[in-house]
Amino acid sequence: MNDSRTRRRAAALVLPLLLSTLAACQSGGRDGKSAAATPSPSPTPIPVFSVRLDDQLSAASRATTATGSAAFTWTLRYGSAKGTAVERVTGVQDYAKDTARAERVVRIPRRFPADAARELGGEPAGARKPQTFAVSGNEVSYRTADGDWLRYSSAAPGEVVDLMDGALQRAGETAPYGGTLAEVVSVADASKAPVKGADGSRTYQVDVPLTYASVALPRALDISQDSARQAPGPIRTTVVLDRDGRLLRATADYAPALKPLHDAHLLKGVTSLRAEYTLSGHGRTPVPPPPAGGKSRDAAKVLTDVHKVKPGACASLDTGLGTLALVRVVPCGARADLRVFGQVRFKETVQGDPDGVAVREGQDRCKAAYRSAPRSWTADGRPADRFTTYGQGTTSSAYTGPDVDVEGDYTCLVETP
């Protein structure tokens, strides 16, 4: 078994320790969005209900885009035995201009699993300050706490562009703001006739393979295509179109995604995952200009690959990425969110069960680095005596023989107040 989560995006694994103990099959890409993403409004209605049943949802995506603009709300609910965390994005988007403005807020109940809370980019018992994003074509800007903008572009150098996917995901393939069920609906094939409402609306029930539906999950919760294919079932999705065939609402039950996520040591303690996407104000919702003030900075020049941060240095996670892949190196103190105390890399041959061996090796080496690091580097970590191992590892072995080739690249860090 291979420990790496092979994908186009940067592989990542976050594993907190106590010392006391998913690519959608769509046309287009970052360097040229699909034709459905950058059209001009259609002067005539696009037929939806008269086309073949299995083409109706893709036709509905085109009909929605043809309206020119819409307001949207995108919500993910993470249920646990200790309450439900809610991640909500609200915004407006102009399909014709391929622009969007949005705000993201994460609310996490007090007793929600702490590791899962950090993976969602929040903390228990609070609402994170809203994050503001502006999308223009294949470029995404994030407003930092100091009012400046970090500008992410798909034209960034190859060595960092994949690490930016947590932000670039928000430049959508189907709608200006991406990473939502809009992109899932556009590739869904209805196999059962919809239910018609009294107002002329249509409601579809469709099952979407996780290999397609994973495009709507945050990049911090990335699932490899191999893992997605092993999910226990499809993503049950409900889609509601108005009488003109435009998308009004889509909901999805992502429970089948929890097994591969848990196998990847993500969202431990989360027992349900549901998504909802709603649109309103079709054709009547202009995108406002970004707030005045603040400098625009090229993220590729401002941010640093976390694996290149020197031990002892501190960094800020105020990047809009939602992952540790890239950080902003800052002086240790009030602006810092983490402190690196070790970088561990290894390549060796071991014997035994290859399942998880690279991860365990990374954990063990970070544990040793924690014990030997200067106390001043780890004393401010929270929770106390806890650190995080972040990185990726791969294993490969022959069908015969006990030898396993192991390779890993991990950063060892503590979170700071």
Side-chain angles (χ1 to χ4, degrees):
M1 181 176 177
N2 194 313
D3 288 334
S4 66
R5 295 194 286 154
T6 304
R7 56 189 183 273
R8 177 179 61 83
R9 302 182 289 272
L13 180 60
V14 180
L15 296 171
L17 294 179
L18 286 174
L19 288 183
S20 58
T21 45
L22 298 169
C25 294
Q26 302 180 42
S27 61
R30 294 293 183 203
D31 296 325
K33 291 188 182 180
S34 62
T38 55
S40 58
S42 173
T44 58
I46 291 178
V48 174
F49 306 124
S50 61
V51 302
R52 284 176 25 167
L53 178 61
D54 59 358
D55 288 335
Q56 288 183 8
L57 293 182
S58 60
S61 293
R62 295 193 297 273
T64 303
T65 297
T67 64
S69 64
F72 70 92
T73 300
W74 167 235
T75 307
L76 287 165
R77 292 181 172 86
Y78 305 83
S80 78
K82 305 299 183 180
T84 299
V86 179
E87 175 183 353
R88 178 169 287 118
V89 179
T90 57
V92 294
Q93 51 195 350
D94 188 313
Y95 300 97
K97 295 179 180 179
D98 203 10
T99 59
R101 277 277 310 281
E103 283 196 346
R104 174 181 180 265
V105 175
V106 180
R107 300 181 185 276
I108 300 176
R110 183 176 300 277
R111 301 177 65 192
F112 193 80
D115 292 346
R118 283 190 290 273
E119 290 156 8
L120 300 181
E123 294 293 336
R128 182 172 178 166
K129 184 178 179 181
Q131 297 178 308
T132 299
F133 295 90
V135 179
S136 180
N138 287 320
E139 193 171 274
V140 178
S141 294
Y142 164 75
R143 197 179 195 195
T144 63
D146 60 11
D148 289 343
W149 293 84
L150 279 178
R151 187 177 67 257
Y152 294 90
S153 171
S154 61
E159 63 268 21
V160 297
V161 69
D162 279 351
L163 303 181
M164 295 178 173
D165 216 31
L168 291 177
Q169 177 193 29
R170 303 180 195 280
E173 299 282 349
T174 300
Y177 189 90
T180 72
L181 285 178
E183 294 176 352
V184 177
V185 170
S186 70
V187 298
D189 294 330
S191 59
K192 182 179 179 181
V195 175
K196 185 176 181 179
D199 58 355
S201 64
R202 307 292 205 282
T203 300
Y204 297 77
Q205 302 291 341
V206 293
D207 288 344
V208 183
L210 183 56
T211 50
Y212 295 170
S214 62
V215 70
L217 294 177
R219 290 300 184 255
L221 305 179
D222 198 15
I223 300 175
S224 72
Q225 291 299 288
D226 286 344
S227 295
R229 280 189 282 270
Q230 297 174 21
I235 304 304
R236 299 287 174 85
T237 306
T238 300
V239 181
V240 181
L241 309 181
D242 68 10
R243 61 184 300 166
D244 297 317
R246 303 174 301 185
L247 179 62
L248 290 179
R249 181 171 179 264
T251 61
D253 184 355
Y254 274 86
L258 291 176
K259 183 183 185 306
L261 286 169
H262 290 166
D263 289 346
H265 305 276
L266 294 169
L267 294 189
K268 290 291 189 179
V270 172
T271 56
S272 66
L273 176 52
R274 300 190 64 86
E276 180 179 26
Y277 181 70
T278 60
L279 292 176
S280 62
H282 295 84
R284 305 187 307 276
T285 314
V287 175
K295 299 178 181 177
S296 179
R297 302 178 184 274
D298 184 346
K301 297 179 179 179
V302 173
L303 303 183
T304 301
D305 183 336
V306 73
H307 296 314
K308 296 180 180 179
V309 177
K310 295 181 179 179
C314 294
S316 168
L317 293 177
D318 186 20
T319 63
L321 287 171
T323 74
L324 286 167
L326 293 171
V327 297
R328 189 168 189 172
V329 176
V330 298
C332 296
R335 294 179 60 201
D337 297 308
L338 61 88
R339 190 167 195 164
V340 172
F341 62 84
Q343 298 284 4
V344 297
R345 297 173 179 84
F346 51 87
K347 184 175 184 180
E348 58 189 44
T349 299
V350 299
Q351 293 185 346
D353 182 0
D355 188 11
V357 67
V359 171
R360 291 192 297 273
E361 187 70 18
Q363 292 173 345
D364 290 344
R365 294 192 181 215
C366 277
K367 183 182 291 186
Y370 186 93
R371 289 171 172 163
S372 63
R375 182 61 180 163
S376 60
W377 291 2
T378 60
D380 291 337
R382 58 178 175 86
D385 293 329
R386 190 179 182 97
F387 66 85
T388 294
T389 302
Y390 178 88
Q392 57 184 331
T394 62
T395 62
S396 59
S397 58
Y399 288 105
T400 60
D403 289 348
V404 179
D405 295 323
V406 183
E407 187 171 353
D409 187 359
Y410 292 90
T411 295
C412 317
L413 58 95
V414 293
E415 298 176 42
T416 55

